[in-house]
Amino acid sequence: MQRYVSLAVPLSLLSGANALVRPDGVGRLPALGWNTWNAFGCDIDASKILTAAEETINLGLKDAGYEYINIDDCWSVKSGRDPTTKRIIPDSAKFPDGISGVASKIHDLGLKVGIYSSAGTETCAGYPASLGYEKIDAESFAEWGIDYLKYDNCGVPTNWTDTYTHCVPDNTNGSKFPNGTCPDISNPAPTEYDWSSSKTAQRYEAMRDALLSVNRTILYSLCDWGQADVNQWGNATGNSWRTTGDITPDWSRIIEIANENSFLMNYADFWGYPDPDMLEVGNGNLTLEENRAHFALWAAMKSPLIIGTPLDSIKEEHLAILKNKPLLSFHQDPVVGRPAYPYKWGYNPDWTFDPAHPAEYWSGPSSTLGGTLVLMFNSEDSAKSRTAVWAEIPELRDSAEKGSGYRVTDIWTGEDLGCVKDQYRVELQSHDIAALVVGESC
Ligand code: GAL
């Protein structure tokens, strides 16, 4: 039985009683890959996807760990399913050799391939989706050689509407409640309500069960935008679960999502990860500082890192961010499942929910870095200094109190900053982030 943790799995590998444990470690660590949506929207075809796969290799991204090449919305014939087999039909103009043709070429490159559907009757762009056809679609995906399914939340018929509404601050019934409350919700759930019994959870469980019944291991990535309190049931249902509405390549949106996701870090561990949406590194008019703060926060939160920019035109400086070795090694830690946590908010008092100023000071243990990951972030619109005080950092506190210094390395430059006593202060440009490994005491 693959679905739930069995006694054969060492206890140290468990994140919780209900993790979705799959063969060969699939979904144990947060996914690394590329996806069509942020790069191309609906304007996709086999050649763009194969270009991305080839560039993943040419640019050294595969060697850095990126493995999934994922097809998002708009891959099928829009008018409907095959009348006889009831299968979704790949669009032959976009995919002359079908999805299986693309999949086998991607597999030949040593990479894996992902696809997209929705837990409704239509995808968000209006293509046939899988509600009521979970088994048939899971079988098609398995037959085509699919390794990853992103499962969206559009096209939900009224008889599948939840009894209650759950508050997602940036995205409740299309409205934003930036202060983290949902004052206008007319039908909130009673406090004891178990959202794992909601219709939304059932829609996602139906596809989980279909995927578990086919003869192929397919990573399951839920995309219900944080609705139906997915943090209660996401880890038992999929390997990652979206926590917010859609990202766009705008600083204010990226940081709003980071703030929201930062409050869910207790739910992230082996086999199950909150997903603050795919990367916008390389897109829009983000500054270099904003690109690297986005990436460092996503890596520290152990979010799936799914690149969303056209790889054949990516700038060297953006590629360097995506290939940052220490951050990827923290993210892919085989021994420590938990992400970094905020240890201090900085700009705001601790635990403040602020879409423009998320927690600025983060730390997390690592089995691979030879020390603790420490991030210091400047969420303000002008250059500021930030100081990491060793005695404030949970991983360092005990020995810091005895007056130890630590060997510090700058993660962006690789520079050895020597033996640093008590604290480390940096000047940061607006929206920049310092990333350090705080290593051996000295
Ligand atoms: C949204 C989803 C996006 C993208 C889009 C495709 O609901 O959050 O990531 O998949 O649909 O139409």
Side-chain angles (χ1 to χ4, degrees):
M1 172 99 179
Q2 297 169 354
R3 187 184 316 163
Y4 294 109
V5 167
S6 76
L7 290 176
V9 179
L11 282 174
S12 61
L13 302 185
L14 303 185
S15 62
N18 289 327
L20 187 70
V21 174
R22 308 302 309 280
D24 306 320
V26 167
R28 180 172 180 264
L29 300 177
L32 289 170
W34 180 90
N35 172 292
T36 51
W37 185 254
N38 288 349
F40 301 119
C42 266
D43 187 15
I44 56 169
D45 59 32
S47 115
K48 282 181 173 160
I49 290 154
L50 291 171
T51 298
E54 281 154 14
E55 292 296 344
T56 296
I57 291 166
N58 298 340
L59 298 172
L61 289 162
K62 176 171 183 260
D63 289 341
Y66 292 89
E67 60 174 340
Y68 290 102
I69 304 297
N70 293 348
I71 305 169
D72 208 280
D73 207 349
C74 313
W75 55 266
S76 73
V77 168
K78 205 168 187 175
S79 53
R81 292 172 176 267
D82 181 297
T84 315
T85 63
K86 304 291 181 215
R87 285 185 163 205
I88 301 180
I89 311 161
D91 182 336
S92 60
K94 293 174 179 171
F95 297 96
D97 302 322
I99 299 297
S100 60
V102 175
S104 75
K105 288 188 183 129
I106 292 175
H107 289 152
D108 288 348
L109 294 170
L111 295 164
K112 294 178 171 181
V113 60
I115 205 152
Y116 162 100
S117 187
S118 183
T121 54
E122 284 187 359
T123 71
C124 298
Y127 292 77
S130 300
L131 186 68
Y133 295 93
E134 292 85 357
K135 191 77 200 288
I136 290 175
D137 290 350
E139 276 164 5
S140 303
F141 300 152
E143 201 177 284
W144 297 340
I146 293 296
D147 305 296
Y148 181 119
L149 174 67
K150 171 177 171 182
Y151 205 45
D152 214 335
N153 196 25
C154 280
V156 182
T158 46
N159 59 330
W160 279 94
T161 307
D162 285 335
T163 316
Y164 303 112
T165 304
H166 172 69
C167 170
V168 185
D170 76 308
N171 180 32
T172 301
N173 294 340
S175 306
K176 278 195 186 189
F177 299 98
N179 60 0
T181 61
C182 290
D184 298 358
I185 279 193
S186 55
N187 56 342
T191 29
E192 69 283 6
Y193 182 65
D194 176 5
W195 280 98
S196 67
S197 66
S198 65
K199 290 187 178 173
T200 298
Q202 289 169 32
R203 287 186 288 115
Y204 281 86
E205 282 162 11
M207 182 52 94
R208 174 199 61 193
D209 294 343
L211 292 174
L212 291 174
S213 76
V214 298
N215 188 19
R216 188 172 180 88
T217 304
I218 300 178
L219 187 148
Y220 189 27
S221 157
L222 316 186
C223 178
D224 93 330
W225 319 308
Q227 295 187 357
D229 207 3
V230 62
N231 39 342
Q232 281 188 32
W233 48 273
N235 284 336
T237 309
N239 299 113
S240 63
W241 33 280
R242 276 276 298 278
T243 57
T244 69
D246 286 11
I247 199 166
T248 59
D250 302 294
W251 178 247
S252 59
R253 183 65 183 136
I254 290 169
I255 216 63
E256 177 180 23
I257 289 177
N259 171 62
E260 219 161 309
N261 203 66
S262 72
F263 287 89
L264 299 172
M265 293 298 92
N266 283 339
Y267 294 96
D269 211 323
F270 292 128
W271 306 107
Y273 299 94
D275 174 6
D277 207 354
M278 302 177 288
L279 296 170
E280 293 284 11
V281 173
N283 295 341
N285 294 318
L286 301 173
T287 65
L288 187 63
E289 291 79 12
E290 290 167 349
N291 273 295
R292 68 182 178 191
H294 171 26
F295 184 76
L297 288 170
W298 263 236
M301 294 192 290
K302 299 207 173 166
S303 318
L305 294 175
I306 308 294
I307 300 169
T309 201
L311 291 179
D312 50 351
S313 56
I314 191 171
K315 288 191 181 146
E316 204 50 56
E317 68 219 44
H318 297 146
L319 183 63
I321 292 171
L322 296 169
K323 284 167 64 174
N324 183 278
K325 277 211 171 93
L327 287 173
L328 288 171
S329 117
F330 179 83
H331 182 261
Q332 294 290 297
D333 196 316
V335 176
V336 179
R338 58 154 275 198
Y341 297 156
Y343 68 87
K344 192 169 78 169
W345 263 241
Y347 178 87
N348 279 309
D350 288 353
W351 301 107
T352 304
F353 186 99
D354 180 344
H357 302 285
E360 295 186 322
Y361 292 88
W362 294 70
S363 68
S366 165
S367 79
T368 58
L369 288 178
T372 300
L373 173 71
V374 175
L375 302 181
M376 287 185 273
F377 169 52
N378 173 14
S379 67
E380 296 186 68
D381 293 334
S382 58
K384 292 282 171 212
S385 71
R386 294 287 182 264
T387 305
V389 177
W390 304 151
E392 290 178 350
I393 297 177
E395 291 80 6
L396 307 175
R397 207 148 39 201
D398 288 349
S399 45
E401 273 164 10
K402 293 181 199 119
S404 296
Y406 293 95
R407 296 213 74 85
V408 178
T409 311
D410 182 317
I411 278 179
W412 296 125
T413 61
E415 192 189 346
D416 178 352
L417 301 171
C419 180
V420 182
K421 295 269 181 209
D422 301 326
Q423 60 184 44
Y424 184 72
R425 179 189 158 104
V426 276
E427 294 298 322
L428 289 170
Q429 293 302 309
S430 168
H431 306 164
D432 201 0
I433 197 161
L436 307 172
V437 176
V438 183
E440 312 258 292
S441 47
C442 52

